[in-house]
Structures are given as structure tokens and as C-alpha cells.
Amino acid sequence: MKNILACIIICYSAISQANAADTEQLTQESRAAVMALGSELKTTLQASIKANGIIESISVCNIKAPQISQKISDEHGMAVGRRSLKYRNPKNKPDDWEKSVLEQFEQRKANGEAVSTLEFSELTELNGKKLFRYMKAIPTDDVCLNCHGDNVAHPFVSKINSLYTDDKAIGFKKGDIRGAFSVIRPVN
Ligand code: HEC
């Protein structure tokens, strides 16, 4: 009886350690994918603003952002996207898990954590499938205010409204959480 108990305890702790190691590895791979996406989006946006100006760059975000997300997802073998409580593109609307993580990030920010360090990962289940999920907060910077700020200028508003009929992604201030990168990976 003692032996069985010991075995159960040892086996259980071995499994949970394996899970912890897997989670760490999956988290690191997710961080790498998210960093790749973040830096490619930033470089593309900056190059476009320099070459074509801000207004023309709206279409970069509109057309290129989903393409770049797809490319990075393929390259890294996981689904990587962007989500926000106040989203512009309805495709970036968070699901229940993502919404609760975004709310958790707002709470942690209110408790004094730096937005640039907010991240969360979890092994979870969706429709009976085991998933690894990861999110990392995206801070609002000065350049973002051109298209997501309080006083987005008139030509922007009409261009943005012509592309997105129910835009919620305005009224942000520097330092706010603009949204978060979100990674989903099926696991065995
Ligand atoms: C030139 C205008 C423009 C600028 C500047 C800009 N964005 Fe956006 N942003 C957009 C558009 C357009 C979308 C919708 C993209 C889509 O359809 O997927 C968007 C979408 C997003 C999303 C996805 C969630 C959503 O609202 O749909 C995030 C997150 C985001 N932007 C963050 C930022 C951050 C952070 C910055 C500054 C580094 C920034 N943006 C600068 C135009 C802009």
C-alpha cells in the first residue's frame, strides 16, 4: 500500500514537472513568435509612414497586418494574432479566455506592473482539445496615437470609418494597454 502511494506521489510529481518544463518551453517559443510579429509590424509601419505618410499607412495596417500575422504563424507553427478589449477589426475580438486575460492585465497594470512585462500562459482546453495559450500585452506608444488616440484627425477618421464600420480602437493614451498578442497551440 505504501509503495503504491509512493509511486502515485512520485509519478504525479514527475508528470507535473514535465508539464512545467513543457509550459516553460512553449512559453519561450511563444515569446519568440510574438517578438517576431511585433518587430515586423513595427518595421513595416515605420517604413510606410516614412515613405507614404500616416494616412496611406492605414492600409498597411489594414492589409499587411493580417498577412504578416499569417506569415509569422506559419513560420512558427502556431496561431499568432492580436486582440484588444477595444478592437478595430472584429476579427481581433477576444474570445472568453483572451478577454479574461486582457482584464487581468488591466488589473495588474492598476496594481503597478509595467505594461511591457505583462504576459500570461496556461495549459487549457477548448471544445475537448488540449491547448497551450499565451498572451503578451502591447503598450500604446506616441506613434500609435495617430490612429488610436483621443484626437484622431478628421481625414483619418473618415478613412478608418470607411474600412471599419464599428471601430472601438480610439481614445487610447500613451502607456495604455492597446491590446495583446495572443498565441494558441494544440498540445497532446
Ligand atoms: C496608420 C494608422 C495606425 C497606426 C499608426 C497604428 N495602428 Fe494599430 N491598427 C490600425 C488599423 C487600421 C488596425 C486594424 C488592422 C486589421 O484590420 O487587422 C489596427 C489594429 C491594431 C491592433 C489589433 C486590435 C484591433 O484593434 O483590431 C493592435 C493591437 C494595434 N493596432 C496596436 C497598435 C500599436 C501598439 C501602434 C503603435 C505602435 C499602432 N497600432 C499604430 C491602424 C494603425
Side-chain angles (χ1 to χ4, degrees):
M1 183 62 195
K2 255 190 186 167
N3 284 346
I4 296 171
L5 250 182
C7 178
I8 290 172
I9 292 166
I10 291 165
C11 293
Y12 180 77
S13 72
I15 289 168
S16 51
Q17 270 171 23
N19 273 342
D22 286 355
T23 310
E24 186 50 37
Q25 164 104 21
L26 290 161
T27 302
Q28 278 179 23
E29 289 171 7
S30 303
R31 277 188 198 126
V34 155
M35 270 179 65
L37 177 56
S39 87
E40 189 154 343
L41 285 173
K42 207 172 184 179
T43 317
T44 311
L45 180 65
Q46 278 168 349
S48 170
I49 291 177
K50 207 170 167 197
N52 315 309
I54 293 266
I55 292 203
E56 288 309 314
S57 301
I58 294 175
S59 33
V60 169
C61 300
N62 172 237
I63 297 165
K64 289 240 174 104
Q67 286 172 354
I68 294 171
S69 298
Q70 187 57 53
K71 188 185 83 135
I72 299 286
S73 298
D74 293 344
E75 281 172 6
H76 289 257
M78 58 187 92
V80 193
R82 296 184 299 169
R83 300 290 179 264
S84 179
L85 292 171
K86 286 166 63 185
Y87 51 88
R88 174 157 292 164
N89 186 334
K91 287 189 181 148
N92 299 328
K93 181 181 177 180
D95 67 15
D96 289 348
W97 187 88
E98 290 165 329
K99 186 166 174 282
S100 72
V101 175
L102 285 162
E103 286 165 355
Q104 176 216 109
F105 285 171
E106 290 292 350
Q107 191 55 53
R108 286 165 60 187
K109 175 178 181 278
N111 292 344
E113 279 189 62
V115 174
S116 58
T117 61
L118 291 171
E119 59 172 357
F120 183 73
S121 57
E122 192 172 56
L123 284 166
T124 171
E125 268 192 33
L126 189 69
N127 305 328
K129 280 192 192 142
K130 274 196 186 160
L131 297 176
F132 171 79
R133 306 194 71 170
Y134 170 83
M135 286 183 89
K136 179 163 176 47
I138 305 172
T140 309
D141 213 339
D142 276 330
V143 65
C144 321
L145 303 180
N146 286 302
C147 302
H148 296 296
D150 252 341
N151 44 1
V152 177
H154 172 67
F156 289 87
V157 175
S158 34
K159 172 123 194 199
I160 289 172
N161 288 345
S162 70
L163 293 165
Y164 305 94
T165 47
D166 186 21
D167 179 28
K168 305 184 203 305
I170 49 162
F172 286 89
K173 295 187 176 58
K174 188 177 178 178
D176 282 349
I177 300 174
R178 175 56 268 270
F181 295 106
S182 180
V183 170
I184 302 187
R185 253 178 110 163
V187 286
N188 293 322

